[in-house]
Amino acid sequence: MAFVLRRLGFYIAAFFIAATINFILPRLMPGNPIDIMFAQATTTIPPEARAALIETFGFATGPLHEQYFAYLKSVFTGDLGYSIRYYPQTVNERLGWALPWTLLLAGTATVLAFALGSLIGVFAAWKRGGGFDALVTPASLALQAIPPLVIAILALFTFGLVLRWLPTGYAYNPSLDPGFNLTFIGSVFFHALMPVFSLMIVFIGGYLVTMRNNMIGQLGEDHVIMGLAKGLSERRVKFNYAARNALLPSVTSLGLTLGAILGGSLVTEVVFNYPGLGQMLYIGIVTRDYPLIQGQLLIMTLAILTANLIVDLAYVLLDPRLRRA
C-alpha cells in the first residue's frame, strides 16, 4: 500500500505539471480561433457580437492567472466547453464519439503487435544464429527505421488504389446507418483492416527486437540452465523460466504504447481519414479549436499516467523480488 500511495502521489504531481503545459501550449499558437472562424467564412461581425461569441465558447479574457484557474476548474469538473469547429457539440461529446474508433484501431494493432512480436522474439532468441533469427531480426530492424507515414501511404497506394482490395478511408461505409448488425459490423471490420495492418507493422519490430534481446540475456541465467539440467521440457523452460522474466521490459513498452494510443495515431488516422482522436487533434490544431486541443491533450496525459501506474503494479506481480523490496 505504501508503494501504491507513493506512486499515486508522484502521478498526481505529474498530472498538474502536464495540465499546466496543456494550458500554455495552445496559447502560444498564433491566431485567434474566433477570428479564424470568420476569416474562413469570409465575413465580419460587430465587436459586440464577437464578444458574445467569446463568452459563449467560454474563452476567458482576463489576466492569465484567472484564465488558468478557470481552466483548472473546468478540468476537475469535467466541463471542457464547446468545440469551436463542431459547435454546438461539446468537447466531451466530440471526443467521446472519437474515442471508440481509436480504441478499436490503435488498441487492436498494439495488442496484435505485442503478442506476435513477443512470440516471434522468443523463438528467434531460443534458436539465435539460426535461419529464422537471421531472417526476422534484420527485417524487424528495417521496419523500425521506416516512418509510419511511409508505411501508411504504401499500404493505401498498394491495397487501396492499385489492387483495390480494401477501402481507402473512413471507418465504415457512409451509406450505412450505424447499428449493432452484421452488415455494419462487417463494414467496420473491412475498413479497419488496412489501418490496423499499417499500425501493427509500425509497432511489431520494436516488440520483437526488445523481446529477443531480453530473452538472450535470460538464457545465460542460472535458473534457466538449472531448469534444462533438471530435465524439464524445452517448452516449460522457454516460456516459464526465460520468457516470463524477459517479458518485463516489453510490458513497460506495452503500457506506454497503450497509454499513448488514446492520443490517437495521428498520422495513420489522417492518411486513412479515420475518425479517431488523432484526427480530432489534427482538426483542432488546424482550426485553432483550443477547447478540443486541450481536451485531447488531457486524455493523452491521463492515459499515459494511468498506463505508467498499471505498469508499476504489473512489475510487482510479475517479479516477486519487487514484493520483498
Side-chain angles (χ1 to χ4, degrees), residues 79-84 88-97 289-296 299:
D79 181 12
L80 301 178
Y82 291 99
S83 168
I84 297 172
Q89 287 185 314
T90 65
V91 172
N92 292 345
E93 291 172 343
R94 198 63 201 175
L95 295 181
W97 179 82
D289 192 340
Y290 290 178
L292 189 62
I293 295 172
Q294 290 182 162
Q296 170 66 348
I299 288 179

Side-chain angles (χ1 to χ4, degrees), residues 97-218:
W97 179 82
L99 178 61
W101 296 114
T102 290
L103 290 175
L104 173 65
L105 172 64
T108 302
T110 301
V111 172
L112 288 175
F114 174 77
L116 290 175
S118 298
L119 187 62
I120 295 172
V122 168
F123 285 103
W126 191 259
K127 300 293 184 181
R128 61 192 181 281
F132 182 72
D133 184 31
L135 175 65
V136 300
T137 302
S140 64
L141 292 172
L143 288 176
Q144 285 184 288
I146 302 176
L149 177 62
V150 173
I151 294 176
I153 292 177
L154 282 176
L156 181 68
F157 178 76
T158 303
F159 299 107
L161 299 179
V162 177
L163 299 176
R164 297 183 181 277
W165 289 352
L166 298 170
T168 57
Y170 210 58
Y172 55 88
N173 190 334
S175 64
L176 297 176
D177 293 326
F180 289 101
N181 55 74
L182 290 178
T183 303
F184 178 74
I185 293 173
S187 178
V188 169
F189 175 79
F190 190 55
H191 280 72
L193 283 176
M194 190 156 48
V196 166
F197 172 78
S198 301
L199 270 182
M200 187 181 72
I201 293 299
V202 171
F203 294 148
I204 196 170
Y207 290 121
L208 194 157
V209 172
T210 299
M211 190 63 183
R212 176 188 178 274
N213 293 341
N214 295 335
M215 186 76 174
I216 289 175
Q218 287 294 320

Side-chain angles (χ1 to χ4, degrees), residues 299-322:
I299 288 179
M300 292 172 61
T301 301
L302 285 171
I304 292 174
L305 292 176
T306 302
N308 274 274
L309 179 60
I310 293 173
V311 166
D312 285 341
L313 298 178
Y315 255 60
V316 176
L317 295 175
L318 289 172
D319 192 341
R321 294 171 298 180
L322 295 178

Side-chain angles (χ1 to χ4, degrees), residues 239-321:
F239 290 105
N240 291 15
Y241 282 60
R244 179 179 177 181
N245 291 315
L247 195 64
L248 290 174
S250 295
V251 169
T252 301
S253 179
L254 174 65
L256 295 178
T257 304
L258 287 174
I261 64 172
L262 290 186
S265 302
L266 192 148
V267 171
T268 302
E269 290 183 4
V270 170
V271 169
F272 292 103
N273 193 27
Y274 203 83
L277 292 173
Q279 178 85 319
M280 290 296 102
L281 180 60
Y282 172 74
I283 292 172
I285 292 172
V286 171
T287 59
R288 301 297 191 273
D289 192 340
Y290 290 178
L292 189 62
I293 295 172
Q294 290 182 162
Q296 170 66 348
L297 293 179
L298 277 175
I299 288 179
M300 292 172 61
T301 301
L302 285 171
I304 292 174
L305 292 176
T306 302
N308 274 274
L309 179 60
I310 293 173
V311 166
D312 285 341
L313 298 178
Y315 255 60
V316 176
L317 295 175
L318 289 172
D319 192 341
R321 294 171 298 180

